[in-house]
Amino acid sequence: MGKPAGYWVNKIRTSFKGGSSSSKSLDEGSGSGSRKNGSKHSKNQKTEEGNKNGEAESGRKVIVVVDTTSQSKNALQWALTQCVQDEDNITLLHVIKTPVGQGTDETQNERKSRAHEQVHPLKNFCQLKKPNVKTEIVVVETAEEKGKAIVEESKKQGAGVLVLGQRKRTSKWRVIWKWRAKGGIGGGVVEYCIHNSECMAIAVRKKSNNGGYLITTKRHKDFWLLA
């Protein structure tokens, strides 16, 4: 018998604001009771060891993929209100493509500096909304596909959650994407990250009419959450 809608709303909200273990459980499904108890015991043991060594338990690293689009800004706004906690750290990841061919005399450092300036207002926005949360900007230049670069950088950064903005897709595109994803063929940056990221990847799209957001993860497609 299927779970009621309210169950999944609470489950998803908890996973967004919880630790990496709860995020993982949402993507992988619920495990056995003994497995949960073992995980809880392991987490408590690690916390106790950290306290003995005088170390404070740190939060997650929340990576938000940003650029100058409205989809990126909407995803960041959602992350700040629904995902990020005071003990977390925010990394604003901006991926740029290495220019191909002639027509530019900019060095890589100059390109990264310009890209950093473009998304710096988003860092100011984070500091305004979450003044107690450390926020940094990371600019990555790649000649490969952006999706692959995002997944590799999130792994390198030790991300607990990866948040991306998503555009509205037509029904025809969704069918094509589903077929390509099953065949192992890339279906776009967001889809690639959702299916290949080691941490929980969340695609966020703001609804235009009724408010709220549509959330997509490995296990949930366009799940509607009110802001």
Side-chain angles (χ1 to χ4, degrees):
M1 186 174 181
K3 300 287 187 181
Y7 169 87
W8 288 115
V9 170
N10 293 332
K11 184 77 172 176
I12 291 177
R13 285 191 185 278
T14 302
S15 69
F16 292 154
K17 294 188 176 183
S20 58
S21 59
S22 59
S23 299
K24 187 176 180 181
S25 68
L26 178 64
D27 272 351
E28 294 182 353
S30 58
S32 64
S34 59
R35 183 169 136 194
K36 288 181 179 178
N37 291 335
S39 175
K40 183 177 180 181
H41 174 73
S42 175
K43 183 177 180 181
N44 290 339
Q45 187 177 15
K46 288 181 180 180
T47 302
E48 290 174 2
E49 289 174 355
N51 291 337
K52 287 179 182 179
N53 294 329
E55 299 173 354
E57 185 179 3
S58 59
R60 305 165 300 171
K61 172 163 284 191
V62 179
I63 293 184
V64 183
V65 179
V66 296
D67 50 35
T68 57
T69 64
S70 60
Q71 290 83 12
S72 167
K73 295 175 182 176
N74 291 337
L76 177 59
Q77 186 173 16
W78 175 87
L80 292 173
T81 57
Q82 302 294 327
C83 182
V84 177
Q85 301 294 289
D86 287 343
E87 65 272 15
D88 294 336
N89 296 316
I90 302 172
T91 295
L92 304 179
L93 176 60
H94 186 25
V95 178
I96 59 176
K97 294 283 287 184
T98 302
V100 179
Q102 316 236 345
T104 177
D105 295 326
E106 279 188 313
T107 64
Q108 185 182 69
N109 286 338
E110 288 173 338
R111 288 192 296 270
K112 283 188 173 184
S113 177
R114 181 162 54 85
H116 190 283
E117 291 178 2
Q118 288 176 341
V119 297
H120 194 270
L122 297 179
K123 180 179 180 180
N124 294 337
F125 181 70
C126 290
Q127 292 172 335
L128 178 65
K129 296 294 183 180
K130 292 284 186 179
N132 297 325
V133 176
K134 179 182 177 183
T135 303
E136 65 174 351
I137 297 174
V138 173
V139 178
V140 173
E141 181 175 309
T142 180
E144 300 178 324
E145 293 297 326
K146 283 189 175 182
K148 185 176 181 181
I150 291 169
V151 169
E152 289 178 352
E153 186 63 25
S154 64
K155 180 180 179 180
K156 177 182 175 182
Q157 294 277 341
V161 180
L162 176 64
V163 181
L164 309 97
Q166 187 174 37
R167 295 183 178 89
K168 183 177 181 179
R169 300 296 191 187
T170 63
S171 57
K172 180 179 179 181
W173 171 257
R174 288 173 184 168
V175 173
I176 295 174
W177 165 76
K178 187 175 182 180
W179 173 78
R180 296 178 77 184
K182 284 184 177 179
I185 306 172
V189 173
V190 173
E191 289 81 6
Y192 180 90
C193 292
I194 287 176
H195 288 279
N196 292 278
S197 175
E198 292 189 359
C199 66
M200 183 182 188
I202 307 167
V204 179
R205 179 165 68 85
K206 189 172 184 179
K207 285 181 67 68
S208 57
N209 297 325
N210 298 326
Y213 296 86
L214 293 176
I215 307 301
T216 297
T217 67
K218 276 185 181 180
R219 294 180 62 85
H220 299 88
K221 179 73 174 177
D222 288 342
F223 195 94
W224 182 39
L225 290 178
L226 286 171

